[in-house]
Amino acid sequence: MGLKMVTNRNKKNVIEVPQSSKSLSQTDYKSLNDRALQCLEMVLDKLGLLQHGKQVGEQFLALNPLRNDDELGSFTIHMPTGKWSDFAIGDAGGDIVSLVAYLNGYPQHQAYQYLVAVLEEHSVPTTVVVANTEFSECAAQPIKELEDRLCMPVPADAPSMPESFGGIGKPTAGWVYRSREGDVLLHQLRFSNPGGNGKTYRPCTCWHTKTGYQWRFGAVPQPRPLYNLDELTKRPKAKVIVVEGEKSAEAAAKLFPDYVATTCFGGANGVLKTDLTDLYGREILIWPDNDEAGRKYAEELIKRLHLVAPTTVISVMKILDIRPVLHDGKTSFELGFETPEKWDAADALAMGWTADLIASLGKEYYETFFPPRKEYAPEGFRVDDKGVWVWKQRKDDNGIWQRVCSRIDVAALTRSKESSDWGLLLHIVDLDEKVHEVVLPKDMLSGSGDLYRQMLLNYGAVIASQPQTKEALTEYLMSSNPPDRVLCVTATGWSGENFVLPHKSYGPTNERVFFQSTNFSKVSPVATSGDKAEWDSHIGIKCLGNSRLMLAICISLAGPFLKHLEEENGGFHFRGESSTGKTKALTVAGSVWGGNGMIKSWRGTSNGLEGLALQFNDLILILDEMGQVRPADAGDIAYTLGNGQKKVWADRYGKARDTKEWRFFYLSSGEISLAQHMAQDKQQIRAGQEVRLLDIPANAGRGLGIFENIHGAENAANFADQLQEACGQYYGTLGDSLLKFITANNSRIQEAIEQIRATQKEFTSEAISVTSHGQVHRAAAKFGLVAGIGEYCIRNGLLPWGERGAFQAARTCFDAWMLERGGDVASEQLRALNQVKEIIQRYGESKFQLANCPGLSGERISDRYGFRTQDNNDGTEYWIFPEVYNSVLCNGFDQREVTKALIERNFLILDSGGKSSVSKKFSDMNKPMRLYGIKGDIIN
């Protein structure tokens, strides 16, 4: 631009900053204004006016961020003096200080202070003489510390928006924009211009300042929210009507009660600045204003929605050439009505249109728009609205076009980041003219092709039955090479900044990422039903006071955070007798992401483990009834799930086969623990397996099975039935809300990680001591991580619990785990001690001969383990042969570690020299021998 900044580095102006706004004189303001004019370009840039403005003579033309201003000319700043005005709405001021006050919503003295700090920060040649300490601290601070923070959503402790705004008075109307969770984001206010000359819209937002909260007029950051965003979230399956302006949206809600009414912030000029994510893939009706701006609004909406989500069904309300007329108590339509310029839904409501009258309109008043189709077909084929055609050459003539199937467009080729897993992005038009966007893996085209044709038929395609046309369809798909390429993933979860589910992708970028799987016949259980508020009231609130249920929900929420937390996989196992409610905890956890299909069985997991794990990558895998799978398989499954990938096998050429990786926490249930299950097959559980699958007693100890609070139900069984029914009706909305929240901008996930880690650190410091074994530290860290995730979700309104609710639930479950475990030492020691205890309990009388006891000297025992004696306190001592001690009592463990554990707990009798074996001679022994002596106290 042509601005010329004049700066005299040798001249120093002196500006005195007085104590309060009352002591500021006109000279003070003039001096500061003069300094600001010398570096006007920098000041305008700081105010956000420079980028889209330009200089015309002595005037600088800018866009007014306080209104929907998209054309230069009305808002001007006189560069020599700083005087400014907006002719469109009548706002004006006499200097740069007043411009700062106007744009930032400051009082004059605060605008003065702000501008002083701006000039100081940017080393403008001026000396500020500070008259008192009140302003001295402000003037000395860097400008970034003086900048105020926009609060969206509005904090709970912020004051209500004022009813009147100084010189512009009270708004004539206002509308509240809310977050998906229902929190207030901002107010859109309408004011009457002076003299009744039109109206002005101004967004009012809440700001956090050094002195507290303030409500200000100002531009709303992009991307901007849709109006009624909370309703769009509550009713994810409802149709949507999009209008221009909030007033029209309120009217449309009355005329289309089955729809959610919304508008882009800023009306016709707001499409490109609005987050349209919540409209993707839905059935949309657009009712634009009757003018050129309205037509452009509809065109831009259609273009954006079809660009990102081609399956979005979009219709546009045509201009109504009729109007309702009441005659003798009956309503009829008057033909030939000329719709006025700018006529909209609010005008229709005022005219007398009702929901019933709107519903009576025929299809001729709606125009449906399909996504633009690229007329691509490989050589020898053509595609039109009637279908796919293949050219068949005949001997007796020039040939004919033969129909292969209904319309199927190959929109793009798909491939992974590694340029593998190639596929086809298809747009399939069914008999209802609905477009299905389907990813077809190319490897499904191999063989007979029955599988891929079954897939196409499932989406409504019509395929000719002749064998030659089936071959032609395969050739059409196989030879298609459209110019566009899109990214695909074969597992759910993170792909860059996007989070991909089978039916939906979340993320702040416009990049489209598709889920690709050959397992199309199994519908993904990841889905939504009902709305978030219903999940909260019927499930979330009912889990309060139930530590196992709350922990299960927090575990289910953990998946999307694990990548950024750089955490290893892990599992939690609810163990308990039948009918304690274990499966209900799994059902509640599943409701976070989907319906009852979220719960899988251990029995069906050993086959197809990799495919199942990839289906729930970055989510949660839920496995019921461990006892149904063979003990050997249970150990392998637990190890593989915790490892995050299958064993790497070589192909027939000796090359390592590609393996898929997954990342999640998994949740399990069973009547016995993994260690007990593997022991049935005479297997020892490895310490790594035990820590990766944490065993939690399902019984909470309140006489209610897994429950601790049944919230007024008749009994635990009745409460379990209520939860089961609720989870079948309301599901998936919590997970959907979480993904929308953490992918809304790039900073949220990092903020989440910091908060989760802080809670995890607090948890471990409270739950264990520094001397606890490393295995216990790992377990506590895992419980603490789950607690941190729960607390993060509570703070951000995703879970309907009070602060520290998740923390206390995790702590209760951790303490139960510790109690069952038996201490905070290594699990190998605990299992070794249990083994010694069980052997002595089982064989104390049958394998140990009673020694030095009159009348029993002739007792003979086969396979004798040793002797038993009475000590001086009438307690029993067991003296064990060394070979039995090593091969039986220490079987599966390091003999030295077992001995160490027995000594530490004072269960092993030492000789006078402190050796672990003692020289003994009993009545039927020829000579003394060294035996291991174990106190009978170990049984207790």
Side-chain angles (χ1 to χ4, degrees), residues 322-335 353 357:
I322 58 175
R323 65 175 177 180
V325 179
L326 187 65
H327 287 293
D328 298 330
K330 295 183 178 181
T331 301
S332 61
F333 291 117
E334 179 183 303
L335 303 177
W353 283 93
L357 293 175

Side-chain angles (χ1 to χ4, degrees), residues 513-567:
V513 184
F514 294 88
F515 180 78
Q516 180 171 303
S517 173
T518 57
N519 193 14
F520 81 93
S521 59
K522 292 186 178 180
V523 178
S524 171
V526 180
T528 59
S529 178
D531 58 50
K532 174 63 166 50
E534 290 173 319
W535 186 93
D536 286 347
S537 60
H538 293 279
I539 300 172
I541 294 295
K542 295 292 181 68
C543 292
L544 275 172
N546 291 290
S547 60
R548 275 67 169 173
L549 301 186
M550 295 174 74
L551 181 76
I553 288 173
C554 296
I555 293 168
S556 192
L557 290 166
F561 297 99
L562 297 182
K563 175 186 176 182
H564 300 88
L565 287 164
E566 299 181 351
E567 280 288 329

Side-chain angles (χ1 to χ4, degrees), residues 762-835:
E762 180 187 359
F763 184 95
T764 54
S765 66
E766 289 186 13
I768 57 176
S769 68
V770 293
T771 59
S772 299
H773 192 271
Q775 295 167 3
V776 177
H777 276 273
R778 287 178 60 192
K782 209 166 259 13
F783 277 98
L785 190 79
V786 171
I789 290 166
E791 290 301 311
Y792 173 79
C793 292
I794 291 171
R795 280 191 294 270
N796 289 284
L798 297 168
L799 283 174
W801 308 335
E803 187 178 357
R804 291 184 70 83
F807 190 101
Q808 293 300 334
R811 179 61 190 272
T812 299
C813 293
F814 173 76
D815 290 346
W817 174 82
M818 278 283 285
L819 185 63
E820 286 287 313
R821 187 177 188 273
D824 62 354
V825 299
S827 64
E828 295 90 342
Q829 287 190 11
L830 295 173
R831 285 188 282 109
L833 290 171
N834 284 332
Q835 179 169 289

Side-chain angles (χ1 to χ4, degrees), residues 900-914:
K900 179 182 176 182
L902 290 169
I903 292 174
E904 288 178 350
R905 284 159 180 76
N906 197 29
F907 292 145
L908 193 67
I909 302 171
L910 305 179
D911 70 0
S912 58

Side-chain angles (χ1 to χ4, degrees), residues 28-254:
D28 298 321
Y29 283 109
K30 185 178 185 306
S31 298
L32 185 59
N33 185 62
D34 290 343
R35 294 306 306 161
L37 292 174
Q38 292 186 26
C39 51
L40 185 57
E41 184 172 11
M42 178 274 292
V43 174
L44 293 177
D45 184 45
K46 187 68 179 175
L47 293 174
L49 303 177
L50 189 63
Q51 183 178 1
H52 301 292
K54 68 176 182 179
Q55 180 182 354
V56 178
E58 293 185 341
Q59 298 289 340
F60 180 77
L61 311 185
L63 299 178
N64 190 343
L66 301 187
R67 62 180 177 85
N68 300 322
D69 191 7
D70 59 359
E71 186 174 349
L72 295 174
S74 298
F75 189 41
T76 64
I77 299 108
H78 187 235
M79 293 167 57
T81 64
K83 292 181 180 180
W84 59 273
S85 62
D86 189 333
F87 301 109
I89 56 177
D91 293 341
D95 56 17
I96 300 300
V97 180
S98 65
L99 179 64
V100 171
Y102 173 71
L103 294 176
N104 289 346
Y106 292 150
Q108 284 290 101
H109 72 278
Q110 189 175 353
Y112 181 98
Q113 173 191 343
Y114 177 87
L115 191 53
V116 167
V118 168
L119 299 178
E120 284 290 285
E121 172 71 12
H122 292 271
S123 300
V124 176
T126 181
T127 300
V128 180
V129 177
V130 180
N132 56 71
T133 56
E134 178 184 351
F135 279 84
S136 175
E137 294 178 359
C138 299
Q141 291 177 358
I143 188 65
K144 64 182 180 181
E145 296 184 15
L146 285 172
E147 290 180 349
D148 300 333
R149 176 170 54 86
L150 174 63
C151 298
M152 290 178 62
V154 177
D157 58 340
S160 301
M161 186 188 68
E163 297 182 359
S164 184
F165 296 85
I168 61 175
K170 293 184 178 181
T172 56
W175 298 271
V176 180
Y177 277 74
R178 298 183 182 275
S179 68
R180 293 183 176 91
E181 295 74 34
D183 299 317
V184 176
L185 297 175
L186 63 106
H187 295 262
Q188 176 75 313
L189 305 179
R190 186 182 70 199
F191 295 89
S192 296
N193 291 340
N197 183 25
K199 55 193 176 184
T200 298
Y201 291 88
R202 292 190 176 184
C204 190
T205 51
C206 182
W207 291 73
H208 185 273
T209 73
K210 290 184 64 178
T211 58
Y213 292 109
Q214 291 182 359
W215 286 90
R216 302 175 182 168
F217 298 131
V220 178
Q222 301 178 30
R224 297 169 178 172
L226 286 163
Y227 185 59
N228 281 334
L229 185 56
D230 54 329
E231 287 298 314
L232 288 168
T233 304
K234 289 178 183 177
R235 300 166 61 188
K237 303 293 177 64
K239 299 176 183 179
V240 181
I241 180 167
V242 186
V243 296
E244 289 184 61
E246 296 80 11
K247 181 181 178 182
S248 289
E250 297 299 305
K254 297 176 181 178

